[in-house]
Amino acid sequence: MSVRASLMVTCLGDALFPRVGVAAVRVLEALGVRVDFPRAQTCCGQPAFNSGYRDDARRAARAYLRAFAGSEHVVSISGSCAAMVRDKYPALFEGRPEAHEARALAARTFELSEFLVDVLRVDDLPVTRHARATLHHSCHTRRTLGVVEQPERLLGMVEGLQYVPLPRAQDCCGFGGTFAVTMPVISTAMVDEKVDHILGTGADLVVGLDMSCLMNIEGRLRRRGSALEVRHLAEVLAQGWAR
Amino acid sequence: MNRAAFLARLRRPPGADQRGVPVAPRPRVQRPPLGDAQRLSLFAARLKALGVVVEESATLDAARLAVERLCDARGWARIACAPSLRWPGIRDRWVEDARDAQFGLSAAACGVAGTGTVVLRHGGAARRGYSLLPPVTGFFVYRPDIVDSLGDVLRTLAAETTALPPCITFVSGPSNTADIAGVRCVGVHGPGEVFVWVIACGE
Amino acid sequence: MTGASREAFDRRVDSALGDPVLQEVISSGQDYMQALQEQAKAELDWPAWLDAVEAVRSHTIAHLDFYAAQFADNVERLGGRVCFAADAAEAREYVAALVKRKGAKLVVKSKSMVSEEIGLNRALEEAGAEVVETDLGELIVQLAGERPFHIVAPAAHKSLAQIRDLFSTMAGEELAADAGVLTTFARHVLREKFLTADIGISGCNFGVAATGTVVLVTNEGNGRMTTTLPQTHVVVMGVERLVPDLQSLEPILAVLPWAGAGERITAYVTAITGPRRPGDGDGPEELHVVLVDNGRSSILGSKYEKILHCIRCGACLDACPVYRKIGGHAYDCAYPGPIGAVLSPLLDGLERHPELPFASSLCGACSEVCSARIPLADYLLELRADAVAAGGGSASWTAGFRGFAEATRRPRAWALGERVAKVALRPFERHGSVRWGPGLLGLWTRSRDFPPWARRSFRELWRSRRPSGS
């Protein structure tokens, strides 16, 4: 019996980076997963939550609970949004009628690389990509979900890909959701250092697990005149998949 | 604020009745105990890493001789230590007041291998100043008094039934700072040079 | 988050970011400390020690009334005096009155963050005493008329040349820009101060309730000087700085030096149990302990209680990517960095530091490294929620999130919003990216390109791929 998964495309992924959602679906289907897309999904509520608007965040979260009510697994192309569901939803609904539902959704929500490695037990991929690549571990993926090795292992399965670890990989890129626009000066100083480290690796490809961070990094790279390729892991896997 | 009102605000929830005597938790992180030789070599290694000069002496007299040789080599004329620690060999050099001494000597209550620490019990004639005010300080530590870890010392102290001495100092290397542009400098306020003589047998 | 407070905050941030020397000093300091902390984690069973620290701290805070009473009883039994200071003013008044009563001309201080919190130095100067900080870092910031930059390394931001200038002014002659020379100079000047001071004021890393012992963890030896030479020793400590007994210090002494200074142990750990006793050759005749509440009791029992578990190691500053850019002075409070961003609004009121909870990307580095396992990043989120609940949100954000929340429940309205945004963004797109935009977008595009809106959203692509939907 095949595994079923619902894609959590996230608000940013839906509007700005549908190509990443498409790539994730391709990879999952190529691995035999039956993918569906619950169309009632919009945003997990993290922008409101992180800005202190708990009631508004809860309303968004409630809609998410409904959207994914029938899902076997929920797979997110954003580690941060997966972390919101997994780490914050249970507390957000504690003592409320949706508490059980929130815990249950948290338990079946995964970030993409985590799902591939920990649930599907992928240990080999028919993927080729000739590149010198570095990886940005997004903070919520790394610290909240504890997903650190999984993307590195997946990149290690890519034929032709030379992986260069990023110095000070643990540092935030400065996105931080609304932080990027409420504290733009600090945010820019942070992404500048991140970009310095990326350029310092000599990589010709930056891979990430979260389009919000990658949008920040790519936006700064472009402004600084760099054409360095920036890709979500799903894109790297989908593009290089043997046909 | 008066004491009762101050303490009442610390009750959790505030204003609740005072509860019984709490039982402090005893979290222990187990480390395998060190053998005798291992303990001594770790103690010496840790001290050296801190910049301390460590010498082993077979007897108390041998340690005294080592001190005399050091004092001669440095030309020190004023050595401060507790009267009970003095010996006749350099009797003309002992001074009471550590403030203008060139060297201060103290007897350590024990040594700690894991951190390269000597433990001093101050009070009475065992002044705090001997290990603090002179630019160079030294300690006699008896080898059987070396324990594995700070935890061992703390547990022993806690088990004492009489009051603690007014001051116990755990000394690990020279007085130092990195407050000036991150550069490590020794001898800031306390001694910049530390000697430890490990005496093999008990008195 | 607008107005004078925000403008002042932005100015402090700009001043830090505009100083390349400072930027280099902060980042190399962080790199150095992080490397040493990694060494600690390789040497010790770090998680097990943190479990132990957490067990001790949470137990103590849960029974703080008992341990504060026991500690005070023991200090008094040993002949010390205890002042129960409800707030900063009471603490200042007690010490100032003591200065006056003693006719003290000179007060030497070893490092005490609480004294910075309560503004003690000024009160003592007004009482007629010269107050000299003796921790070299504290002395440097005192001479510069600044606040401590970092809770463990107060002068971490000062270059050798700047320190040389400050010490040269103090010396009345030009000193060499050499750390050794400057240290020796400070030793001589401060030795004289120690020998002539009437009162020594120290902080307290930990007070041991069972024995009435004050424990100081220091490297320079100024803590020992301050508590040995002057005839009167005053301890100023937050009331939460207690542990039940001596054994409880074991995990704290295992973790604090590594986390705070990257070393196994500090040069000195001093355990002071009461004033000098009959027959003692040295030590202060009088011991006064000022237990400071100043807002701590209102944190007890609240959702922020774990902030009282802090052991003041400074690891959160060494890990924070925001501190790495803005440094300690941008926070403008006694406690900078992530710990300060949480603690200062709790002690001084959120209205006094409205921007601090928001000056974080919520990356979680602080929570990850915290020696006492305080959920600092979660606390920042709680403070943001408190700020909004107290009406601190701007009208436009409040309306914006209201509309956002409504739209999340209506996928069609959401999709329509996406299409509207796509059309609205189009005029700003040039060669596949947005380099300038109005409003919030403009705050982004000031320094970064914004990606073009996708021609078709994922939900639109999905519908065309599977006409039946799912």
Side-chain angles (χ1 to χ4, degrees), chain A residues 56-134:
Chain A
D56 294 329
R58 201 173 287 112
R59 284 154 79 195
R62 206 169 274 135
Y64 237 43
L65 292 182
R66 276 199 299 272
F68 291 104
S71 305
E72 184 178 303
H73 300 95
V74 177
V75 178
S76 172
I77 57 167
S78 157
S80 188
C81 304
M84 173 73 191
V85 173
R86 210 144 94 186
D87 193 53
K88 308 300 184 209
Y89 275 22
L92 202 52
F93 289 105
E94 199 178 283
R96 292 173 192 265
E98 304 90 338
H100 175 75
E101 228 181 313
R103 283 195 301 273
L105 179 61
R108 63 178 190 270
T109 298
F110 301 87
E111 180 278 327
L112 177 68
S113 73
E114 179 186 34
F115 185 70
L116 297 187
V117 173
D118 297 349
V119 178
L120 298 183
R121 307 273 165 205
V122 167
D123 53 13
D124 185 36
L125 287 170
V127 176
T128 307
R129 170 73 201 252
H130 293 283
R132 181 177 163 86
T134 192

Side-chain angles (χ1 to χ4, degrees), chain A residues 2-222:
Chain A
S2 69
V3 175
R4 286 177 48 220
S6 301
L7 182 73
M8 182 197 287
V9 82
T10 79
C11 55
L12 220 58
D14 185 38
L16 297 174
F17 308 104
R19 57 182 160 88
V20 177
V22 169
V25 172
R26 264 196 211 143
V27 170
L28 289 167
E29 287 184 342
L31 290 166
V33 178
R34 281 173 54 207
V35 183
D36 61 77
F37 178 72
R39 283 175 35 203
Q41 64 177 294
T42 54
C43 172
C44 66
Q46 189 173 196
F49 185 82
N50 285 1
S51 301
Y53 290 83
R54 291 279 166 95
D55 290 338
D56 294 329
R58 201 173 287 112
R59 284 154 79 195
R62 206 169 274 135
Y64 237 43
L65 292 182
R66 276 199 299 272
F68 291 104
S71 305
E72 184 178 303
H73 300 95
V74 177
V75 178
S76 172
I77 57 167
S78 157
S80 188
C81 304
M84 173 73 191
V85 173
R86 210 144 94 186
D87 193 53
K88 308 300 184 209
Y89 275 22
L92 202 52
F93 289 105
E94 199 178 283
R96 292 173 192 265
E98 304 90 338
H100 175 75
E101 228 181 313
R103 283 195 301 273
L105 179 61
R108 63 178 190 270
T109 298
F110 301 87
E111 180 278 327
L112 177 68
S113 73
E114 179 186 34
F115 185 70
L116 297 187
V117 173
D118 297 349
V119 178
L120 298 183
R121 307 273 165 205
V122 167
D123 53 13
D124 185 36
L125 287 170
V127 176
T128 307
R129 170 73 201 252
H130 293 283
R132 181 177 163 86
T134 192
L135 175 72
H136 173 60
H137 290 272
S138 294
C139 302
H140 294 168
T141 311
R142 182 191 191 91
R143 298 198 176 95
T144 313
L145 300 179
V147 172
V148 185
E149 278 184 10
Q150 290 91 329
E152 292 176 346
R153 278 170 59 185
L154 292 168
L155 286 177
M157 296 171 204
V158 176
E159 182 80 28
L161 187 135
Q162 184 196 356
Y163 173 56
V164 203
L166 186 61
R168 294 202 63 86
Q170 76 277 20
D171 277 356
C172 176
C173 72
F175 176 70
T178 52
F179 175 77
V181 289
T182 55
M183 298 277 171
V185 174
I186 306 174
S187 170
T188 301
M190 290 164 72
V191 72
D192 253 336
E193 181 173 350
K194 183 60 70 184
V195 163
D196 288 342
H197 290 308
I198 289 170
L199 295 174
T201 61
D204 47 31
L205 171 66
V206 191
V207 183
L209 308 164
D210 208 310
M211 287 318 294
S212 48
C213 312
L214 291 183
M215 174 173 90
N216 185 42
I217 290 168
E218 183 170 13
R220 189 60 188 160
L221 276 167
R222 299 294 173 263

Side-chain angles (χ1 to χ4, degrees), chain C residues 26-38:
Chain C
I26 304 170
S27 51
S28 61
Q30 276 199 339
D31 295 351
Y32 177 75
M33 282 304 301
Q34 287 173 15
L36 289 167
Q37 285 158 2
E38 285 309 307

Side-chain angles (χ1 to χ4, degrees), chain A residues 14-15 29 41-42 50 53 59 88 140 143 168 172 180 182 187-188 193 216 219-220 223, chain C residues 6 31 34 324-325 361-363 368 378 384 398 406 418 435 445 447-449 458-459 465-466:
Chain A
D14 185 38
E29 287 184 342
Q41 64 177 294
T42 54
N50 285 1
Y53 290 83
R59 284 154 79 195
K88 308 300 184 209
H140 294 168
R143 298 198 176 95
R168 294 202 63 86
C172 176
T182 55
S187 170
T188 301
E193 181 173 350
N216 185 42
R220 189 60 188 160
R223 184 58 59 92
Chain C
R6 176 61 199 262
D31 295 351
Q34 287 173 15
R324 187 175 177 89
K325 298 301 163 196
S361 65
L362 302 171
C363 76
E368 182 180 55
D378 288 342
R384 292 180 182 192
T398 304
E406 280 303 313
E418 288 181 334
R435 294 176 63 85
T445 57
S447 60
R448 289 163 283 219
D449 288 7
F458 183 85
R459 67 184 70 242
R465 173 184 137 134
R466 306 264 163 95

